[in-house]
Amino acid sequence: MGAALVAGVDVGGTKVLAVVADERLRVLGRARLGTRRGERGVVDTVVRAVTEAAHRAGVAPAALAGVGVGVPGLVDASAGRVSHAVNLGLHDQPTELAGGLRERLGVPVVVENDVNAAALGAHTLRPVGGDLALLSIGTGLAAGLVLGGRLHRGARGAAGEIGHVPVDPAGMACSCGQRGCLETIASGAALAAAWTPGAGHPATSPWQAAAAGDAAAAAAVERFSAGVAAAVRLLVLTWDVETVVLAGGVTEVGRPLLEAVRAALRRQEATAPLMAALGLSGRVELLGRRAPVAALGAAWMARGRLVDDLPSAQEVS
């Protein structure tokens, strides 16, 4: 049984989620642990999470066919190296993550950027095909692309890094060294900087505050939603993807975010015939909480099968 199973791991700045899945990506065991920073801390946490998830699936970690890991930062997928994952304490010196994990676990390990892994996972959940971009809106902003049924990384692994496209030359300084990047408008960090609840404020999100009549919150939501809409427009105009799936921590607010982004896109469609012809507002979806997509995408990569052989949404639990 174990040889047919793979593990997928989603490594984040605060948590590591591991799943063990069968050949149809049905989750048989999972584990969630707090992230430890630094090369040793990340490796230790992933090993512990995989071990715990495997035991819950009824197998030893060494019996797994492979392990896939989705991790933030710049990832050299062919070499299994990671760098510039600041939230993990991994900086400009590349970390041999795949090699370190392979040595500890004794099974093949593949490493991929976490947003790319999430895009692959989201692809498994959709009942229809077509090119897909997963727009991850968390602390930062980035996209993963599945084009022609395959993950698109680009020449140097930077495809989808649209958060660092400058859109306002007079805008805020960005962590990448540029100014006015899309990430300074349409990210969780940008939204938090634009609106913070006052003392004793009952609202837990700017959407709630805006609905309650908070003018500052309403302005923050409008600017943020326009920024996300600009990201959707950029993805469609650049790669003409059929669907842009919104994911990431900020999307936990749910449909209010989706409707605000669609409204911003409809305003663009009303004044630009090309945008209307592209039907932008109808091409954006909300991922929601259907499944651990980054971990499932990483598990699929560990299996080493072609993306266009992915199971249908109805077959994934």
Side-chain angles (χ1 to χ4, degrees):
M1 176 181 174
L5 303 184
V6 292
V9 188
D10 177 15
V11 179
T14 59
K15 59 84 180 173
V16 170
L17 174 65
V19 301
V20 169
D22 65 10
E23 68 278 2
R24 304 307 299 175
L25 292 189
R26 291 174 293 206
V27 176
L28 304 180
R30 69 176 69 200
R32 177 175 175 144
L33 301 174
T35 304
R36 289 178 54 201
R37 289 168 53 85
E39 180 175 353
R40 178 176 294 181
V42 171
V43 170
D44 285 347
T45 309
V46 171
V47 169
R48 287 175 53 218
V50 169
T51 299
E52 187 173 322
H55 287 161
R56 291 181 178 177
V59 296
L64 296 171
V67 174
V69 182
V71 62
L74 292 180
V75 177
D76 182 343
S78 62
R81 300 190 187 102
V82 182
S83 62
H84 298 282
V86 179
N87 289 342
L88 300 177
L90 306 178
H91 300 284
D92 55 346
Q93 188 66 30
T95 295
E96 303 281 347
L97 187 57
L101 291 171
R102 186 164 51 245
E103 183 178 334
R104 293 278 301 276
L105 292 168
V107 298
V109 177
V110 295
V111 176
E112 182 56 79
N113 173 267
D114 59 342
V115 179
N116 286 346
L120 281 176
H123 194 279
T124 72
L125 297 177
R126 303 191 70 247
V128 295
D131 291 347
L132 174 147
L134 181 133
L135 182 61
S136 178
I137 315 168
T139 303
L141 181 75
L145 300 159
V146 179
L147 307 177
R150 297 179 182 274
L151 182 64
H152 179 70
R153 297 185 181 92
R156 300 192 179 182
E161 289 289 347
I162 63 170
H164 297 298
V165 174
V167 294
D168 181 5
M172 296 175 57
C174 181
S175 61
C176 73
Q178 302 183 102
R179 182 170 293 276
C181 291
L182 196 52
E183 186 171 290
T184 66
I185 301 170
S187 66
L191 187 60
W195 180 84
T196 54
H201 202 298
T204 59
S205 77
W207 280 270
Q208 290 181 337
D214 185 322
V221 166
E222 182 175 358
R223 185 169 188 267
F224 174 81
S225 302
V228 175
V232 171
R233 184 177 68 235
L234 179 60
L235 288 167
V236 172
L237 288 174
T238 305
W239 287 286
D240 196 23
V241 292
E242 182 66 28
T243 306
V244 178
V245 178
L246 305 182
V250 177
T251 65
E252 290 182 3
V253 70
R255 292 203 66 84
L257 167 63
L258 178 62
E259 293 307 321
V261 173
R262 283 178 171 170
L265 291 169
R266 284 193 290 268
R267 288 193 292 271
Q268 294 173 359
E269 291 168 343
T271 58
L274 175 59
M275 300 304 104
L278 292 174
L280 295 177
S281 59
R283 295 166 82 158
V284 60
E285 298 178 0
L286 189 67
L287 177 64
R289 301 186 181 187
R290 291 180 287 182
V293 291
L296 284 174
W300 189 252
M301 289 184 295
R303 189 163 294 285
R305 294 168 64 177
L306 295 177
V307 176
D308 51 14
D309 289 334
L310 287 167
S312 69
Q314 292 82 359
E315 295 174 305
V316 178
S317 59

